[in-house]
Amino acid sequence: MYQSSAMAFLLPDKYIDPLTDFGFKRLFGTEPHKALLIDFLNTLLPEYHHIQDVTFKNPETIGRTWADRKAIFDIYCQSETGERFIVEIQKAKQQFFKDRSVYYSTFPIQEQATKGTWDYELTAVYTVGILDFIFDEHKDEETIIHTVELKDQHCEDGFGPFQTQDKHDKLKFIYIELPKFKKTLPELTSHTDKWLFVLRHLAQLETPPSDLREGIFNQLFEVAEIANFSDTEQALYQESLKVYRDNFNVTKTLIEESLKVGIEQGIEQGIEQGIEQGIEQVARQMKATGMPVPDIAKFTGLSTEEIEALKE
């Protein structure tokens, strides 16, 4: 059994929230637990770039000259065959997140330059964005995982320096819009489904579901159980969780204030229709951010059917 993220904070947590900075890096960014990262990445990567091992690299990368900006990645690693991976968790909607991910990809590209004679051959670079929001331009699409790669003017696969000799692309961006993932446990049909479910609902689980008591997920639940943390780790997690909850509460407050303004505007109009329009407008805005329908219903008093029927 699990609950929406809005309700998770009412219950004591048994497992860490993967969407907190500490939780994300504990699961995916440490040497002892790198099997979790490898398994997760391999669900997203094409078969020809499946990885057996990774080496974590310094997540703080500085440009090649003193004047260049620096990038700080959540996780930055390299496979044994040279491919480089940037993995980012993004909790709040950012207008130019795609632009930022393109900019970040230039650092591992430049890093491949070698001193002396170099023929400019590059190994593949992947940027993976795990998003706790929905892109405005994709809000009406059902697609959860977007894979972006270079194409030529005919929309065919990239060419020249953007491919290997085997015609495999060297630059890919993978974006996961987590709020779109709505499957329940009985509906999970793939390994990718199970990972997305864990990312969305781990902190709300009280025990490992039978559907996830297997292989890599057994390790994940052991790593994620807060009772196994040292005192220092628990303190760090609580601080990270506080930041995450503060951000959630700020967003919730803004929503409630917007709702209040909408109702007041309706009252000023002196007609019941004005109040309804104010509530519906706020519900549309909540829906556009990717907030789950049950949470919108809780804040607005509208039924799930009324919310589903709203046009954004």
Side-chain angles (χ1 to χ4, degrees):
M1 174 176 285
Y2 64 92
Q3 303 179 13
S4 69
S5 58
M7 296 296 294
F9 304 146
L10 301 178
L11 299 173
D13 301 332
K14 179 175 181 179
Y15 300 109
I16 54 174
D17 192 326
L19 301 185
T20 62
D21 289 334
F22 180 90
F24 185 69
K25 290 175 182 175
R26 179 175 177 84
L27 291 180
F28 296 122
T30 62
E31 186 71 24
H33 310 141
K34 64 182 179 181
L36 298 174
L37 176 65
I38 293 170
D39 189 86
F40 173 66
L41 287 178
N42 281 341
T43 67
L44 304 173
L45 300 177
E47 187 173 351
Y48 56 79
H49 275 164
H50 274 197
I51 51 183
Q52 300 297 321
D53 195 15
V54 295
T55 301
F56 289 101
K57 300 174 70 66
N58 186 354
E60 183 169 325
T61 304
I62 302 175
R64 294 184 61 78
T65 70
W66 68 269
D68 289 339
R69 297 175 65 88
K70 70 178 180 180
I72 302 178
F73 311 130
D74 287 337
I75 294 173
Y76 181 31
C77 62
Q78 182 174 342
S79 73
E80 74 281 10
T81 51
E83 294 86 3
R84 288 160 168 81
F85 303 90
I86 298 169
V87 188
E88 288 279 297
I89 182 78
Q90 183 66 23
K91 295 175 282 295
K93 180 176 289 187
Q94 187 178 88
Q95 184 178 6
F96 297 111
F97 181 79
K98 290 180 182 177
D99 295 50
R100 190 185 80 171
S101 61
V102 172
Y103 170 71
Y104 273 15
S105 72
T106 65
F107 286 84
I109 291 173
Q110 294 181 65
E111 182 187 70
Q112 296 183 50
T114 58
K115 293 182 179 180
T117 303
W118 178 46
D119 60 7
Y120 290 93
E121 182 180 7
L122 300 171
T123 56
V125 173
Y126 285 84
T127 299
V128 178
I130 303 170
L131 315 178
D132 198 18
F133 65 88
I134 295 173
F135 289 120
D136 288 340
E137 60 270 32
H138 300 304
K139 63 184 180 182
D140 296 322
E141 302 174 8
E142 294 183 359
T143 303
I144 297 173
I145 301 176
H146 302 268
T147 301
V148 182
E149 54 196 31
L150 294 169
K151 302 287 183 180
D152 65 15
Q153 68 271 26
H154 304 296
C155 267
E156 296 179 354
D157 287 343
F159 56 95
F162 307 122
Q163 288 188 331
T164 66
Q165 292 181 348
D166 296 326
K167 304 300 182 185
H168 295 153
D169 292 289
K170 290 187 177 181
L171 185 60
K172 283 183 186 287
F173 302 89
I174 301 172
Y175 304 108
I176 304 172
E177 296 175 299
L178 273 182
K180 285 184 178 179
F181 186 79
K182 305 293 179 60
K183 288 186 177 182
T184 61
L185 279 167
E187 296 172 326
L188 306 181
T189 58
S190 69
H191 199 65
T192 303
D193 281 350
K194 292 177 181 180
W195 268 114
L196 297 183
F197 182 90
V198 165
L199 288 172
R200 282 216 70 183
H201 301 297
L202 178 60
Q204 290 86 57
L205 296 174
E206 297 177 4
T207 58
S210 58
D211 308 65
L212 298 176
R213 292 178 181 174
E214 60 180 38
I216 197 69
F217 295 108
N218 289 330
Q219 179 182 348
L220 181 142
F221 282 108
E222 181 178 353
V223 172
E225 188 168 353
I226 298 171
N228 295 331
F229 292 7
S230 68
D231 290 344
T232 300
E233 289 171 333
Q234 291 210 22
L236 289 172
Y237 175 58
Q238 290 302 322
E239 180 61 29
S240 182
L241 188 59
K242 179 180 181 298
V243 172
Y244 182 74
R245 290 175 174 176
D246 285 347
N247 289 338
F248 171 84
N249 287 328
V250 167
T251 302
K252 179 174 177 287
T253 300
L254 289 174
I255 290 171
E256 291 175 342
E257 289 179 350
S258 297
L259 177 60
K260 181 179 178 182
V261 169
I263 294 174
E264 290 176 349
Q265 288 176 346
I267 293 175
E268 289 173 1
Q269 293 174 16
I271 55 174
E272 184 176 346
Q273 183 181 3
I275 300 175
E276 293 175 354
Q277 289 175 345
I279 295 173
E280 289 176 357
Q281 179 60 29
V282 173
R284 287 190 187 92
Q285 293 173 351
M286 294 178 182
K287 193 175 177 183
T289 66
M291 178 174 285
V293 170
D295 294 346
I296 300 175
K298 173 188 171 185
F299 293 133
T300 64
L302 297 176
S303 68
T304 56
E305 291 78 11
E306 289 172 325
I307 296 167
E308 293 286 1
L310 291 175
K311 295 182 179 180
E312 299 176 6

